[in-house]
Amino acid sequence: MRVDNLRNIAIIAHVDHGKTTMVDKLLRATDAFRANQQVEDRVLDSNDQERERGITILAKNISIEYKDVKINVIDTPGHADFGGEVERVLRMADGALLLVDAFEGPMPQTRFVLRHAIDTGLKIMIVINKIDRPGANPEKAYNDCLDLMADLGATDDQLEFAMEHVVYASAMNGFARLDPNDGNMDMYPLLDMIIDDMPAPEVDENAPLAMQCVTIDHSNFVGRIGIGRVYSGTIHQGDQILVVKNDGSSATATVKQLFTFDYLGRTECQEVGAGDIAAVVGIDRTDIGDVYTDPENPVELEPIEIDPPTLSIVFEASTSPLVGRDGDIVGARQLKERLFNEAENNVTMKIEELEDKSGVEVSGRGILHLSVLMESMRREGFEFQVGRPRVLFKKDENGNKMEPVEQAVVECPDEYSGKVVEVFGTSGGIMTSMDTSGIVTHLEFKIPTRGIMGLKNRIMNVTHGEGVFYHTFLEYGPYAGEIGNRQNGAMISMTTEKAVAYALGTLQERGQLFVEPGTECYEGMIVGERSKAGDMVVNIARTKNLGNQRSSTSDISVQLVPPRTFSLEEALEYIADDELVEITPKNIRLRKRLLNATDRKKAAVRAGQVNK
């Protein structure tokens, strides 16, 4: 039976192609807000980090109503590091809007999210966004989308549907058109196409209940809330249901509260029918993949499988001499508790305590995925330290070592393309395609995840800031051998004091500084990068010896170059194996694992790096 008054659609796209802005405009077009209501742009990016970074991290559910049809809209993350969210939530949809920038066309993460939509069997409608952007080429972007769908193994039905259903839009200016030049200035052509042509849910309302939890929400008042689609039957408030876990175990539970999505909020209701998306309260410790079904006639659904993590980082309690200055949660026990709580809510992360109890290993889908967790923790008042990200290797059937391989794309002015190819060559990358037909050169590479670390800064340097760099996980491939690490040595503080301008003035001639006058430093902290290989221990508190002669003012003033500052991701990509990133609510510091210079020399001797 078709539920004609319901549509479930997901919006998928590469980062920054306009998904969340498009949802804003659909909400406005369907009168979701009062006439005088003050509404922020990108209303769905409710998380602080989402607004600051300009990306969607968590999938969001909303619903809009148009021509008496309820449209459940799922806004998905565009970044491959949050792909675990995409894989799960697409199960709730019957169709997807593929948003593509009319200037950039399909990008690496378009491939990533589109592959999941095709594998899930969704009908895909192409929306060419930003058609009013200078240099936009909507026709090429549309053809590239069809080529990409064919390349990813789309069925004939999916390709036919995409060919016949294309909309040209500018989410920023709030219009959608069936032809780029037809002059329409509202969103109704897109909404009409969703209502008329997107498939309605095909369900059996009389079959036993079957619902699968794909997203977990948490409330301090009622605990975990399981969100998912009702595939068959009807779920009622007060129902006694059977909860079947991914491992096959099961237990009964009572539905205490039931909600459906209503514009930006949720509405409590007594029952939710097949085809709709519901939020269920009352299932203790419910988890991703749990199936809610009828105890008398249980229904089996496919378990949710998620791509494995590719990177791991060890979290440790901070051993810095400045520990406790910025944050108020510094203990190893609290750190462990916080990380194991994260494991309950974040199914895409694998969190395990090390055998020697010295720290907790957190595995995720990429540096951004892991750094979002670190940023959340530092905002909560935690102080901790982390080591260099390690790639997770695995073995194939023949026992050969395999490592994660990424697809990387660089777009840059033609004169810098040679330098970009050279940088990738030294990092284990292999060029797979080069297109010089547009305004900029488009280069694609396959490169081990190990080679990606620290690559963005090098690309920005050789392209003089004009390059655009994206990468996404592609597959596990054969181990690519040794890849060169950081070439330059570090400047390491020898004392625990504040940095002094006079000392920094002499040091900046030897390399690039990471600190400024007045910065609290400690022994073993990395204060700069040398222009040569090999580490150098420096005195950042050295002052000028005063003689009995007068000195002119010009002799006293020191001209300092502004120091290089690191974001959390840049710091994680920068450090070497024997270094750590110290993370506090106010500071990100780089340091050596062994703070004392003598201890570092002894360790080097033991490792056979230095002759006795």
Side-chain angles (χ1 to χ4, degrees):
M1 175 184 133
R2 271 170 59 95
V3 187
D4 285 324
N5 63 345
L6 192 62
R7 300 288 183 276
N8 296 317
I9 61 162
I11 299 193
I12 58 175
H14 181 79
V15 178
D16 205 30
H17 278 197
K19 293 182 303 302
T20 307
T21 308
M22 177 69 73
V23 174
D24 269 9
K25 292 303 189 284
L26 291 175
L27 283 164
R28 290 173 197 277
T30 52
D31 301 324
F33 309 119
R34 297 188 312 275
N36 61 346
Q37 189 173 344
Q38 293 294 310
V39 182
E40 290 186 80
D41 285 339
R42 296 187 294 115
V43 68
L44 281 197
D45 281 351
S46 50
N47 176 315
D48 285 348
Q49 288 197 61
E50 290 182 317
R51 299 199 73 81
E52 288 166 23
R53 294 171 185 263
I55 61 172
T56 301
I57 293 170
L58 300 169
K60 313 289 193 315
N61 293 71
I62 62 156
S63 79
I64 55 181
E65 195 154 313
Y66 180 66
K67 292 185 177 176
D68 298 325
V69 176
K70 178 183 179 183
I71 305 171
N72 285 315
V73 181
I74 306 153
D75 182 20
T76 64
H79 201 287
D81 281 18
F82 308 106
E85 291 278 327
V86 179
E87 294 163 52
R88 300 196 309 267
V89 298
L90 287 180
R91 287 177 175 239
M92 296 193 283
D94 296 297
L97 302 184
L98 173 66
L99 248 74
V100 176
D101 187 309
F103 175 76
E104 293 182 347
M107 297 297 282
Q109 277 136 23
T110 313
R111 168 183 284 270
F112 175 83
V113 289
L114 181 57
R115 188 183 78 225
H116 286 302
I118 287 170
D119 291 347
T120 312
L122 303 184
K123 289 281 192 338
I124 292 155
M125 186 185 289
I126 297 173
V127 181
I128 306 298
N129 194 25
K130 306 188 186 182
I131 60 168
D132 49 355
R133 180 176 170 179
N137 189 340
E139 206 56 45
K140 182 178 185 303
Y142 168 60
N143 289 326
D144 288 348
C145 287
L146 294 176
D147 290 344
L148 180 58
M149 286 182 68
D151 190 34
L152 292 173
T155 64
D156 290 346
D157 278 355
Q158 285 173 320
L159 280 168
E160 228 168 273
F161 187 87
M163 285 166 132
E164 293 166 6
H165 298 90
V166 57
V167 174
Y168 301 91
S170 168
M172 185 62 73
N173 293 308
F175 66 76
R177 299 171 178 173
L178 300 179
D179 181 277
N181 304 311
D182 68 13
N184 180 65
M185 291 306 291
D186 57 45
M187 297 300 295
Y188 297 121
L190 175 58
L191 286 162
D192 286 330
M193 194 179 280
I194 291 170
I195 296 295
D196 297 339
D197 300 325
M198 274 294 188
E202 294 275 355
V203 299
D204 185 350
E205 287 188 336
N206 301 317
L209 168 67
M211 172 180 169
Q212 190 166 35
C213 172
V214 297
T215 306
I216 297 283
D217 201 356
H218 189 272
S219 159
N220 292 332
F221 305 105
V222 298
R224 286 187 167 199
I225 302 167
I227 298 168
R229 172 172 165 167
V230 182
Y231 291 102
S232 64
T234 306
I235 188 168
H236 303 84
Q237 196 163 308
D239 271 357
Q240 196 66 17
I241 60 170
L242 184 71
V243 181
V244 182
K245 299 278 187 188
N246 268 348
D247 60 8
S249 62
S250 60
T252 55
T254 304
V255 178
K256 291 179 183 167
Q257 285 179 293
L258 199 57
F259 297 87
T260 56
F261 292 89
D262 179 23
Y263 287 102
L264 288 168
R266 294 181 193 153
T267 304
E268 190 168 355
C269 54
Q270 293 302 309
E271 65 173 55
V272 178
D276 208 349
I277 294 170
V280 179
V281 175
I283 297 26
D284 286 340
R285 304 193 65 75
T286 190
D287 224 328
I288 302 292
D290 285 1
V291 176
Y292 308 156
T293 186
D294 186 337
E296 305 286 319
N297 303 293
V299 178
E300 285 188 16
L301 293 175
E302 275 184 47
I304 291 178
E305 288 183 17
I306 290 158
D307 286 351
T310 56
L311 277 181
S312 75
I313 288 182
V314 174
F315 285 62
E316 302 168 11
S318 179
T319 55
S320 159
L322 304 180
V323 67
R325 298 269 185 102
D326 297 345
D328 48 12
I329 312 174
V330 298
R333 184 178 56 80
Q334 292 113 310
L335 179 68
K336 189 170 99 173
E337 281 175 9
R338 170 66 179 83
L339 289 170
F340 281 111
N341 282 341
E342 184 69 24
E344 288 193 9
N345 297 319
N346 195 335
V347 72
T348 57
M349 279 187 175
K350 187 178 167 192
I351 299 176
E352 298 171 322
E353 189 170 13
L354 296 178
E355 284 182 17
D356 61 1
K357 311 287 186 191
S358 62
V360 179
E361 184 174 44
V362 179
S363 306
R365 295 288 280 271
I367 283 184
L368 181 62
H369 189 202
L370 294 162
S371 72
V372 165
L373 169 61
M374 295 174 201
E375 184 64 42
S376 299
M377 288 172 64
R378 72 188 286 231
R379 291 178 187 203
E380 292 164 20
F382 281 87
E383 281 196 28
F384 55 97
Q385 61 194 29
V386 296
R388 179 177 165 82
R390 291 189 304 109
V391 164
L392 298 174
F393 299 104
K394 65 181 188 182
K395 297 254 173 98
D396 64 7
E397 305 91 40
N398 304 319
N400 298 319
K401 193 175 181 182
M402 307 287 280
E403 69 173 324
V405 176
E406 312 235 348
Q407 181 192 26
V409 171
V410 178
E411 293 191 334
C412 64
D414 187 45
E415 63 263 33
Y416 305 131
S417 58
K419 288 282 185 189
V420 170
V421 173
E422 192 179 315
V423 166
F424 271 90
T426 59
S427 304
I430 298 167
M431 187 165 70
T432 55
S433 82
M434 181 176 187
D435 181 8
T436 55
S437 58
I439 303 169
V440 294
T441 299
H442 179 95
L443 301 156
E444 293 191 16
F445 300 86
K446 277 174 74 172
I447 180 170
T449 301
R450 290 178 298 139
I452 287 285
M453 291 184 211
L455 200 62
K456 188 171 185 178
N457 279 334
R458 293 172 65 195
I459 296 295
M460 289 302 131
N461 286 340
V462 299
T463 61
H464 296 208
E466 294 183 53
V468 178
F469 176 54
Y470 295 106
H471 60 93
T472 186
F473 173 73
L474 187 63
E475 62 193 3
Y476 265 84
Y479 179 64
E482 289 300 317
I483 292 174
N485 291 328
R486 193 175 77 214
Q487 302 297 312
N488 296 0
M491 294 185 196
I492 305 159
S493 172
M494 65 166 63
T495 55
T496 301
E497 293 179 82
K498 286 187 177 178
V500 173
Y502 177 74
L504 297 180
T506 57
L507 290 175
Q508 72 179 4
E509 297 165 14
R510 313 284 292 274
Q512 188 176 31
L513 294 172
F514 301 161
V515 296
E516 59 189 1
T519 303
E520 287 265 13
C521 300
Y522 54 82
E523 183 185 8
M525 179 172 154
I526 299 171
V527 295
E529 179 181 82
R530 258 187 107 184
S531 51
K532 298 178 183 175
D535 293 342
M536 177 172 74
V537 178
V538 299
N539 183 358
I540 43 83
R542 188 161 71 93
T543 54
K544 185 173 182 181
N545 292 328
L546 296 177
N548 57 1
Q549 298 91 7
R550 285 185 182 173
S551 67
S552 65
T553 314
S554 62
D555 192 34
I556 297 166
S557 65
V558 177
Q559 296 295 317
L560 288 175
V561 176
R564 177 178 171 186
T565 56
F566 288 91
S567 68
L568 200 41
E569 293 91 56
E570 287 166 351
L572 293 170
E573 290 183 335
Y574 180 80
I575 57 172
D577 290 333
D578 64 336
E579 295 166 358
L580 299 168
V581 179
E582 181 197 345
I583 299 166
T584 78
K586 295 179 184 170
N587 292 291
I588 295 169
R589 302 186 185 101
L590 309 184
R591 51 162 284 187
K592 286 290 180 182
R593 187 173 286 278
L594 298 173
L595 296 179
N596 183 274
T598 309
D599 292 344
R600 290 198 296 275
K601 280 181 185 169
K602 286 178 183 173
V605 169
R606 280 197 299 272
Q609 295 169 345
V610 177
N611 293 325
K612 291 182 184 179

